[in-house]
Amino acid sequence: MGLLIVISSPSGGGKDSVINALLKRFPNSARFVTTTSRPPRPGNREGVDYHFISPEEFRNKIEQGKFIEYNFYADNYYGTEKSRLTESLNKHALVLTQIEVNGKHNLDKAKIPHVAIFLIPEDLAKLAERIRRRGGVSEAELKERLAIAKSEIQASQDYDFKVVNAEGKLAATINKIEAIIKNHLKTNV
Ligand code: 5GP
């Protein structure tokens, strides 16, 4: 049974870069692909970034009890499918998932063991710039994501670890998280 690591950060906070780097550093690790009703952004790939389904399909899966946790964020559904997570944890030593704070709290309620790491952006103005550069969101959506970011930072108190992701210091952030995970693997075997 693999170790589940939750990596959360506000939108544009660097989760993807951190997870991609960690995947190269840990053997037998995988990024968990969650399911969403949001339309793909430019460059997004089915089954790689997300499993993209319609809002109706998503609601059907909720009714069928397919999700361990799900959340409605910025007008779209996002969720962790139970069977996919079990399969991934059975296959890998380390499974990294990027869900937001409500999702982490729902994993707690469902008593799903995990280690939760929150990436804190150094500066909200720089975060806005990053989200804008990535593209695919309107100014109104950007505003909404920044408002959510503020409340997410406040709601992140009960994460196991919080790491400031300073602008231009991504390598240092990745090293810190690698050390946290190694330490956890060492003390829990
Ligand atoms: P984005 O639209 O930028 O890809 O994702 C929006 C937010 O949804 C991000 O904070 C991301 O971490 C979160 N998210 C992605 N998948 C899931 C999921 O399965 N469950 C929950 N609770 N949040 C998710």
Side-chain angles (χ1 to χ4, degrees):
M1 187 76 171
L3 172 66
L4 179 63
I5 304 276
V6 169
I7 308 250
S8 301
S9 79
S11 179
K15 286 168 293 221
D16 270 324
S17 314
V18 166
I19 289 182
N20 288 338
L22 292 171
L23 290 176
K24 291 191 192 131
R25 294 187 191 191
F26 288 94
N28 197 12
S29 59
R31 175 181 177 276
F32 184 71
V33 181
T34 61
T35 302
T36 186
S37 67
R38 114 161 137 60
R41 276 201 292 260
N44 281 173
R45 280 176 298 160
E46 162 59 33
V48 176
D49 298 286
Y50 283 104
H51 299 286
F52 292 99
I53 62 175
S54 69
E56 195 191 350
E57 283 173 280
F58 204 108
R59 283 190 287 268
N60 285 339
K61 281 183 184 260
I62 294 174
E63 270 173 32
Q64 292 159 7
K66 297 265 165 85
F67 292 104
I68 289 181
E69 66 77 29
Y70 71 92
N71 187 44
F72 194 67
Y73 170 105
D75 295 329
N76 294 297
Y77 293 104
Y78 295 83
T80 303
E81 289 192 52
K82 217 179 280 178
S83 58
R84 291 190 197 276
L85 183 63
T86 307
E87 191 189 335
S88 189
L89 286 169
N90 281 338
K91 266 205 235 155
H92 301 100
L94 193 68
V95 175
L96 301 150
T97 188
Q98 46 190 123
I99 61 177
E100 49 64 70
V101 289
N102 293 320
K104 184 262 185 281
H105 292 145
N106 286 331
L107 287 187
D108 288 338
K109 282 185 203 147
K111 300 200 177 356
I112 309 287
H114 64 277
V115 174
I117 303 170
F118 193 87
L119 290 180
I120 303 178
E122 189 185 13
D123 175 331
L124 284 181
K126 285 181 183 149
L127 184 70
E129 229 357 85
R130 247 193 265 165
I131 301 174
R132 215 177 253 128
R133 266 203 314 266
R134 187 171 66 183
V137 291
S138 67
E139 278 301 303
E141 283 163 348
L142 172 64
K143 248 187 156 171
E144 186 183 9
R145 280 171 182 250
L146 287 177
I148 298 174
K150 285 186 198 160
S151 63
E152 283 178 335
I153 293 168
Q154 278 163 5
S156 65
Q157 276 97 336
D158 56 350
Y159 274 63
D160 302 302
F161 300 94
K162 286 194 252 180
V163 178
V164 175
N165 187 18
E167 198 65 25
K169 297 271 187 328
L170 186 65
T173 303
I174 294 164
N175 288 342
K176 274 186 211 158
I177 297 179
E178 181 183 13
I180 290 171
I181 298 174
K182 278 198 171 145
N183 204 26
H184 198 89
L185 288 170
K186 225 191 299 168
T187 52
N188 286 275
V189 281

